Amino acid sequence: MSETITLAHGAGGAQTADLIDRIFKKNLDNPDMTADDAAVLDLPAGRIAMSTDGFIVSPAIFPGGNIGKLSVCGTVNDLACMGARPLYLTCSFVIEEGFSMDTLEQLAAAMGKTAQEAGVRFVAGDTKVAGKGQVDGVFITTAGVGELLEGVHPAGANAKPGDAVIVTGDVGRHGCTILLARNDFKIQADVTSDCAPLGKTVERVLNAVPDVHVIRDATRGGVGTVLYEIAHQSGIGIRLNQEAIPVDPAVRGVCGMLGLEPLYLACEGRLVMFVPQDQADQVIEILHDCPYSQNAAVIGTVTDRKGVVTMKTAIGSETILPRPGGELLPRIC
Amino acid sequence: MSETITLAHGAGGAQTADLIDRIFKKNLDNPDMTADDAAVLDLPAGRIAMSTDGFIVSPAIFPGGNIGKLSVCGTVNDLACMGARPLYLTCSFVIEEGFSMDTLEQLAAAMGKTAQEAGVRFVAGDTKVAGKGQVDGVFITTAGVGELLEGVHPAGANAKPGDAVIVTGDVGRHGCTILLARNDFKIQADVTSDCAPLGKTVERVLNAVPDVHVIRDATRGGVGTVLYEIAHQSGIGIRLNQEAIPVDPAVRGVCGMLGLEPLYLACEGRLVMFVPQDQADQVIEILHDCPYSQNAAVIGTVTDRKGVVTMKTAIGSETILPRPGGELLPRIC
């Protein structure tokens, strides 16, 4: 029988120490990782960004990623959206008694690999174990801090009429992947999650175009929900061009069968950017040169119709985009 | 029927926004709290401390506190143990579908009150909802950063032979409280958790005595486990004086009935400090003047017997303290 997590692994004694050594330190260790209650870190003077996200996605492993990779990407991307270079992460696990040790190692390995790619270090962590049936599998919460890049101020309230609205890649892949992985609909399609760390992408864009007005990752509720949030925060409207919105053909096919709008499916590696119109081409050119944004596109423009998001459809009519009702599926991330 | 949490509250749409406004913003709001993906914060130049802890305690509400209060105290105390002044916290909730909205508000109110007392601000948060039976009640993960105080370097590896070993209050109260609250033993006793934020206590001690060698909070596994950890990290031994260890009479009574050693019951508001012998009196004097450490005591001294923790018992014999096996109970914190 393969080894599983026991309540003793969460009890704070010898077994907890062993689990930390064998799984977490092995995959996440670095000179800043603490063996004490908190890590002590050097930070450049000035402003930092700080964020947290909890991850409870089901299934924990899905085409294109797993909850471990997702837990790094989510917090890295949140920091990047504020114009910060992500530096340090913490992670906190709640694991179900009986969870497979091999699976846990797979998740930790993905966290280590993604952190390395993103240029961030895990500096502190915590492990709790809940009894069988008290938590479904594994939940991971990450928090992170990053160093604010000089002279940039992207924020949800900064969109301005005339801005170009950019999406950094095809939309709805993560949501569609989880939908298919749950297997409730018995549909087979070749779709993988877009889950990716985007800190370096954002840094390249901001180095060239510091005046990006808004950056936000289109997670729960997808691009549609994010657009309504920003319209509300900035007191502006948005006009989308449906034909310009990149959607993977397989995702489009699944959405067609189920009557879903891809704009409302979660992404985990896609950003929405609001950019002064005259700098949009330059941003798109940089995005096309980055690994996770090769089909970035301008999908619309900002109007002064406060809180109204419309879409010009393929047949030329203009409709109001439905108000977001949140995510279709529970435990999407 | 009173209102409960639904899956829609975790879907990232209108209901999530409503929950955040009504429960979390209402109780935790402050000028640094972000409405974006990450908070942007000013930090003084230099070193920071960073930590995280997940909280899954069951029951979520217990005499002397609740999981909300605990989630603030735990991270505040971890930062303080490294000689940092806690500044900013994040919180991430995973809530079971059907959880009482009134109870959630009670937890958030406790978080707000404790954060205010501790002088910390919540700057970012996340809310997820898992289906009925997929998480038992509510889990909260907090992460925090603090500003390192000048000229202090407490760490688990810094204990030195001759140091006085101090505990900041009577031991085992939190563990005993949870044990009784579970009601498995049908014992009635008037015991409340020691759960408390200790950042200001630590700062007062370090301002007067910067050369404190080790500070650690005695959570899972209690004081006994912490002493073995420090003996290991510092390569020293410890000799305890059993008669000097403060134990509440009710806790002693419960331990007597169940055959438990209070040194291995979790605390959530008690620190262990290792202090140069000639400064121990001064530290004790300051602790006695702080709200949560009025029965602080010197309970032992550091020896050079690497990794060996002994205890002089009330009848004068000296025994080796049993090696910690971790926490007696799952979900103690």
Side-chain angles (χ1 to χ4, degrees):
Chain A
M1 210 185 83
S2 63
E3 199 184 357
T4 60
I5 294 289
T6 65
L7 288 173
H9 285 118
Q15 290 94 332
T16 305
D18 181 59
L19 176 70
I20 291 169
D21 279 348
R22 282 174 52 202
I23 304 286
F24 299 126
K25 271 209 187 154
K26 179 180 162 197
N27 287 287
L28 306 177
D29 205 18
N30 65 72
D32 288 320
M33 172 76 87
T34 185
D36 277 307
D37 284 320
V40 172
L41 308 165
D42 285 310
L43 261 195
R47 293 187 312 157
I48 64 164
M50 184 172 185
S51 186
T52 190
D53 257 331
F55 298 88
I56 64 171
V57 62
S58 172
I61 298 174
F62 46 81
N66 60 45
I67 192 171
K69 178 181 178 184
L70 189 59
S71 74
V72 177
C73 296
T75 292
V76 161
N77 295 350
D78 279 348
L79 294 171
C81 285
M82 297 311 293
R85 178 184 296 129
L87 294 176
Y88 302 118
L89 298 187
T90 63
C91 56
S92 171
F93 289 78
V94 183
I95 313 170
E96 185 178 15
E97 182 186 15
F99 194 79
S100 153
M101 193 71 85
D102 288 346
T103 305
L104 190 64
E105 165 119 43
Q106 185 184 344
L107 304 180
M111 292 171 79
K113 189 178 162 208
T114 311
Q116 188 160 32
E117 181 189 343
V120 294
R121 289 177 167 190
F122 277 98
V123 298
D126 186 48
T127 308
K128 297 289 191 310
V129 177
K132 191 89 189 158
Q134 296 174 354
V135 59
D136 183 25
V138 62
F139 295 169
I140 305 176
T141 298
T142 53
V145 297
E147 171 191 5
L148 262 287
L149 300 173
E150 288 273 338
V152 305
H153 305 279
N158 290 353
K160 306 233 168 1
D163 282 355
V165 179
I166 291 172
V167 68
T168 64
D170 60 302
V171 306
R173 287 238 312 264
H174 181 74
C176 189
T177 301
I178 299 300
L179 196 77
L180 296 175
R182 297 267 181 93
N183 210 22
D184 294 336
F185 299 102
K186 310 287 180 205
I187 297 172
Q188 301 280 330
D190 186 20
V191 181
T192 57
S193 172
D194 56 317
C195 178
L198 302 174
K200 291 181 179 173
T201 302
V202 168
E203 193 165 345
R204 275 194 62 186
V205 169
L206 288 175
N207 281 341
V209 182
D211 195 25
V212 172
H213 291 162
V214 181
I215 309 175
R216 185 160 298 173
D217 57 338
T219 57
R220 273 185 296 190
V223 170
T225 299
V226 162
L227 293 178
Y228 267 106
E229 279 173 17
I230 294 167
H232 176 76
Q233 276 184 275
S234 291
I236 50 92
I238 297 164
R239 184 187 297 129
L240 298 177
N241 177 5
Q242 189 173 31
E243 288 191 300
I245 300 167
V247 184
D248 180 80
V251 171
R252 195 185 295 284
V254 172
C255 285
M257 279 188 268
L258 298 175
L260 301 173
E261 167 54 59
L263 276 179
Y264 291 105
L265 291 181
C267 311
E268 290 293 345
R270 300 294 179 245
L271 306 170
V272 172
M273 294 186 179
F274 286 61
V275 179
Q277 198 65 245
D278 60 356
Q279 300 184 286
D281 287 349
Q282 193 185 351
V283 170
I284 291 287
E285 196 175 316
I286 293 165
L287 288 171
H288 286 174
D289 194 45
C290 292
Y292 302 115
S293 47
Q294 293 176 354
N295 54 3
V298 174
I299 62 169
T301 54
V302 174
T303 69
D304 55 9
R305 293 182 62 194
K306 206 169 162 171
V308 181
V309 182
T310 62
M311 184 156 74
K312 200 177 117 230
T313 64
I315 56 166
S317 63
E318 185 156 351
T319 63
I320 290 185
L321 201 72
R323 294 221 159 243
E327 186 54 53
L328 177 76
L329 285 173
R331 299 182 63 185
I332 196 81
C333 58
Chain B
M1 210 183 85
S2 63
E3 199 184 358
T4 59
I5 293 290
T6 66
L7 289 173
H9 285 118
Q15 291 93 333
T16 304
D18 181 58
L19 175 68
I20 291 169
D21 278 349
R22 281 173 53 202
I23 304 286
F24 298 127
K25 271 208 185 154
K26 180 180 161 197
N27 287 287
L28 306 177
D29 206 16
N30 64 73
D32 289 317
M33 172 76 87
T34 185
D36 279 306
D37 283 320
V40 173
L41 308 166
D42 286 310
L43 261 193
R47 295 186 310 156
I48 63 163
M50 184 172 185
S51 186
T52 190
D53 258 331
F55 297 88
I56 65 170
V57 62
S58 173
I61 298 173
F62 46 81
N66 60 45
I67 191 172
K69 178 181 179 185
L70 188 58
S71 74
V72 178
C73 296
T75 292
V76 161
N77 294 350
D78 279 349
L79 295 171
C81 285
M82 298 310 295
R85 178 186 297 128
L87 293 175
Y88 302 118
L89 298 188
T90 63
C91 56
S92 172
F93 288 78
V94 183
I95 313 171
E96 185 177 17
E97 182 186 14
F99 194 80
S100 153
M101 193 70 86
D102 287 346
T103 304
L104 189 63
E105 165 120 42
Q106 184 182 345
L107 303 180
M111 292 171 78
K113 189 178 162 205
T114 311
Q116 187 159 32
E117 180 188 344
V120 294
R121 288 177 167 192
F122 277 98
V123 298
D126 186 49
T127 308
K128 297 289 191 307
V129 177
K132 191 88 190 159
Q134 296 173 356
V135 59
D136 183 27
V138 62
F139 295 170
I140 305 175
T141 297
T142 54
V145 297
E147 170 191 7
L148 262 287
L149 300 173
E150 290 273 339
V152 305
H153 305 278
N158 290 352
K160 306 230 168 2
D163 282 356
V165 179
I166 291 172
V167 68
T168 63
D170 60 303
V171 306
R173 288 236 313 261
H174 181 73
C176 189
T177 302
I178 299 301
L179 195 81
L180 297 176
R182 297 268 182 91
N183 211 21
D184 294 337
F185 299 102
K186 311 286 179 203
I187 297 172
Q188 301 280 331
D190 186 20
V191 181
T192 57
S193 172
D194 56 317
C195 177
L198 302 174
K200 291 182 178 174
T201 301
V202 168
E203 194 166 343
R204 274 194 64 188
V205 168
L206 288 175
N207 280 343
V209 182
D211 194 25
V212 173
H213 291 163
V214 182
I215 310 175
R216 186 159 295 171
D217 56 339
T219 57
R220 273 186 295 191
V223 170
T225 299
V226 161
L227 294 178
Y228 266 106
E229 279 173 18
I230 294 167
H232 176 75
Q233 276 184 275
S234 292
I236 50 92
I238 297 164
R239 184 186 298 129
L240 297 178
N241 177 5
Q242 188 173 31
E243 287 192 301
I245 300 168
V247 185
D248 180 82
V251 171
R252 193 185 295 283
V254 172
C255 285
M257 277 187 268
L258 298 175
L260 301 174
E261 168 53 60
L263 276 179
Y264 290 104
L265 290 182
C267 311
E268 290 293 346
R270 299 292 179 249
L271 306 171
V272 171
M273 294 185 179
F274 287 60
V275 179
Q277 197 65 245
D278 60 355
Q279 299 183 287
D281 287 349
Q282 194 186 352
V283 171
I284 291 287
E285 195 175 318
I286 293 164
L287 289 170
H288 285 173
D289 194 45
C290 292
Y292 301 115
S293 46
Q294 293 176 352
N295 53 4
V298 174
I299 63 169
T301 54
V302 174
T303 69
D304 55 10
R305 293 183 61 193
K306 207 169 161 172
V308 180
V309 182
T310 62
M311 184 157 72
K312 198 178 117 227
T313 63
I315 55 165
S317 62
E318 185 155 349
T319 64
I320 291 187
L321 202 70
R323 294 222 160 243
E327 186 55 54
L328 177 77
L329 283 175
R331 299 181 63 185
I332 196 81
C333 59

